[in-house]
Amino acid sequence: MRSVTWIRVATVGFVAACSLLLPTVASATSGDLFPPGTGYCASTYPGHPRPFPKAWWGPSVDINRNGGDRDRPLLAPGDGKVLVWTTVRMTYRGQRAAGWGNSIVWISADGHEQIFVGHLDSILTRWPQQRVRSGQVIGVAGNTGHVAGTGGADAGAHLHVNRMIDWRPAPVVLSGRVVVPSATPGDGCGSGPHHYVSAGPEARRGACTSSPAAPLTRPTPLMSDPDTRWRWIRPKDRCSGA
């Protein structure tokens, strides 16, 4: 009986050890940041900046959608919550061209996966750590923060994306696929190995629309703010989300 018990213990230990060695891709969400069928190209470059603190974040990926990013919806890739990381209005005092602009961190329902998205035109959640459903619109793409490109209707708009597993660097994974970016910054490829098409998450809830109401008076500490100050989040109304 003792030998059988030890065999069981050894088997359990072996399985646990193997699970620790599995690549981070195995933990990836099967959802996406974009509606079904959205085509986009991913790019990066050596020394591409990452959000503070840099040690947390994996490779930086810039995403440019077919036809431009400006005013395109950003979806929650799965059930979870959204941490408002920075806002132009509060963190950068209205300077749209400073830092990451409007940016968020989506955190999976089990807490193990985190995705940072920057340069949003607007954030459509109502409070930090708001729970969201897969496919819910949580923001609108734009060009706030420090972005390259100033001409044309899109004016350099794109999404900056980083991903982590348990707050450790991990490759960006969308629709269950590892996104391998081109080394050409702002690459607008329409086909080839760096071009992807979103499978899209299951849409369950809609977006919140902006409200003219004054900002909330309840301060919320965001530990990842560059200057560690507290922030206020503008409320939303006519919201079909949680």
Side-chain angles (χ1 to χ4, degrees), residues 41-130:
C41 184
S43 66
T44 189
Y45 54 90
H48 199 156
R50 292 172 290 174
F52 173 86
K54 293 182 179 181
W56 287 4
W57 301 97
S60 295
V61 176
D62 284 343
I63 291 178
N64 290 95
R65 278 178 271 204
N66 297 353
D69 285 85
R70 189 94 181 225
D71 299 329
R72 299 286 195 92
L74 172 73
L75 309 184
D79 292 351
K81 62 183 179 180
V82 170
L83 169 67
V84 177
W85 192 80
T86 58
T87 65
V88 166
R89 184 174 179 277
M90 292 299 177
T91 304
Y92 300 112
R93 296 163 179 81
Q95 300 178 36
R96 289 177 62 90
W100 298 102
N102 296 322
S103 49
I104 61 174
V105 177
W106 170 86
I107 303 173
S108 61
D110 62 8
H112 289 304
E113 184 177 12
Q114 301 83 33
I115 296 178
F116 170 86
V117 184
H119 305 315
L120 300 177
D121 183 76
S122 56
I123 297 169
L124 297 181
T125 54
R126 293 176 293 175
W127 54 78
Q129 303 199 50
Q130 176 180 324

Side-chain angles (χ1 to χ4, degrees), residues 118-162:
H119 305 315
L120 300 177
D121 183 76
S122 56
I123 297 169
L124 297 181
T125 54
R126 293 176 293 175
W127 54 78
Q129 303 199 50
Q130 176 180 324
R131 294 185 182 278
V132 295
R133 290 287 192 178
S134 175
Q136 180 178 337
V137 182
I138 56 178
V140 176
N143 61 349
T144 59
H146 184 69
V147 298
T150 57
D154 215 33
H158 70 278
L159 293 181
H160 177 106
V161 180
N162 293 90

Side-chain angles (χ1 to χ4, degrees), residues 6 69 73 80-81 194 234:
W6 278 109
D69 285 85
K81 62 183 179 180
H194 308 296
R234 181 176 295 279

Side-chain angles (χ1 to χ4, degrees), residues 125-219:
T125 54
R126 293 176 293 175
W127 54 78
Q129 303 199 50
Q130 176 180 324
R131 294 185 182 278
V132 295
R133 290 287 192 178
S134 175
Q136 180 178 337
V137 182
I138 56 178
V140 176
N143 61 349
T144 59
H146 184 69
V147 298
T150 57
D154 215 33
H158 70 278
L159 293 181
H160 177 106
V161 180
N162 293 90
R163 177 173 169 268
M164 297 173 295
I165 296 294
D166 291 329
W167 302 101
R168 293 184 178 89
V172 174
V173 177
L174 299 174
S175 292
R177 298 167 301 179
V178 177
V179 175
V180 180
S182 163
T184 304
D187 194 353
C189 59
S191 61
H194 308 296
H195 187 266
Y196 301 86
V197 177
S198 171
E202 178 186 356
R204 299 188 186 180
R205 303 193 181 188
C208 302
T209 56
S210 298
S211 166
L216 296 175
T217 57
R218 178 172 60 86

